């Protein structure tokens, strides 16, 4: 989602990503593993991860507190020149209601698997450069703050697995958005303004309660490469035919 792998198609990006992984494995920076079912994956050795974190901790541009237990977000930890923040797989016990970190250079925010139930209304107010927001697998999260609608630099928004989330704020201003992942959420309607997101390449709405896809939307999303829809949503075949860059499709038409 950060654009670290290059390519004009998903296949090219996939190949570039595997080239990078293979180089890291050969240099022993990642370890290749195979599980009992024969599926391949990679992992980073704990010692190497700790070394990487020590290096980044010397630079105030990174805040990494992944998987270290229950935490309360404190505004004084979010310094002015942060570039990336990750609380992946940490239990966020509380976010102060008036919290609005002043992080104008922040590009990536990962609050995935954090058991978050609420994000304050002004939370994104001073994060105008955000490109990636990952809130996936917060199964108790029911609402998103309206301030997310103003993140005009946003390239990727992942709400995957937020099963109690019933709606998404208007997204019409997010004209740089490439990735919208609402898989397995409780949304029932397409986010307002989605027809304006003409740079979208990846959309996953499968596993949702979405009733229908408005007819005027798909033909406007001409850059789509991946589209996954709920199986009960019918798509006109002429709308699919207009997506000339589409490489992967899941759904019914």
């Amino acid at each position: 989602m950060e654009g670290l792998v290059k390519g004009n198609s998903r296949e090219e990006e996939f190949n570039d990503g595997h080239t990078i992984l293979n180089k890291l494995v050969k240099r022993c920076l990642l370890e290749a593993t195979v599980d009992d079912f024969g599926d391949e994956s990679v992992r980073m050795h704990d010692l190497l991860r700790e070394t990487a974190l020590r290096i980044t901790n010397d630079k105030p541009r990174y805040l990494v507190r992944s998987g270290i237990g229950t935490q309360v977000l404190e505004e004084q930890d979010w310094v002015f020149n942060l570039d990336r923040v990750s609380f992946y797989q940490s239990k966020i016990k509380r976010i102060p209601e008036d919290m609005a970190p002043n992080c104008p250079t922040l590009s990536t925010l990962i609050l995935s698997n954090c058991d978050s139930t609420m994000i304050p209304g002004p939370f994104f107010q001073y994060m105008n450069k955000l490109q990636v927001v990952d809130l996936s697998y917060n199964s108790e999260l029911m609402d998103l703050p309206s301030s997310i609608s103003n993140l005009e630099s946003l390239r990727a928004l992942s709400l995957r697995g937020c099963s109690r989330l019933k709606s998404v704020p208007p997204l019409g201003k997010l004209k740089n958005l490439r990735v919208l992942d609402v898989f397995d959420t409780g949304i029932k309607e397409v986010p307002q303004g989605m027809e304006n997101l003409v740079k979208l390449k990846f959309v996953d709405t499968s596993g949702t309660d979405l009733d229908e896809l408005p007819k005027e939307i798909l033909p406007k999303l001409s850059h789509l490469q991946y589209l996954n829809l709920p199986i009960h949503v019918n798509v006109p075949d002429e709308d699919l035919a207009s997506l000339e860059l589409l490489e992967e499709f899941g759904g019914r038409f």
Side-chain angles (χ1 to χ4, degrees), residues 56 77 253:
T56 58
D77 294 331
F253 62 93

Side-chain angles (χ1 to χ4, degrees), residues 2 8 26 47 61 67 77 89 92-93 103 144 188:
E2 290 192 350
N8 294 319
K26 288 180 180 179
L47 182 60
R61 297 185 297 118
D77 294 331
Q89 216 168 45
I92 304 299
K93 184 177 181 181
C103 299
L144 293 177
K188 297 182 179 181

Side-chain angles (χ1 to χ4, degrees), residues 83-85 103-110 123-124 126-134 148 151-156:
D83 283 350
R84 289 178 171 84
V85 170
C103 299
T105 63
L106 189 66
S107 64
T108 296
L109 174 62
I110 299 174
F123 189 76
F124 296 103
Y126 305 116
M127 300 181 182
N128 296 327
K129 297 295 185 182
L130 266 180
Q131 295 186 22
V132 175
V133 173
D134 186 353
I148 208 168
L151 301 177
E152 296 184 16
S153 297
L154 201 64
R155 294 171 56 95

Side-chain angles (χ1 to χ4, degrees), residues 224-238:
L224 271 183
Q225 298 175 347
Y226 179 100
L227 177 63
N228 198 8
L229 300 173
I231 194 64
H232 56 270
V233 174
N234 285 320
V235 182
D237 54 359
E238 62 269 19

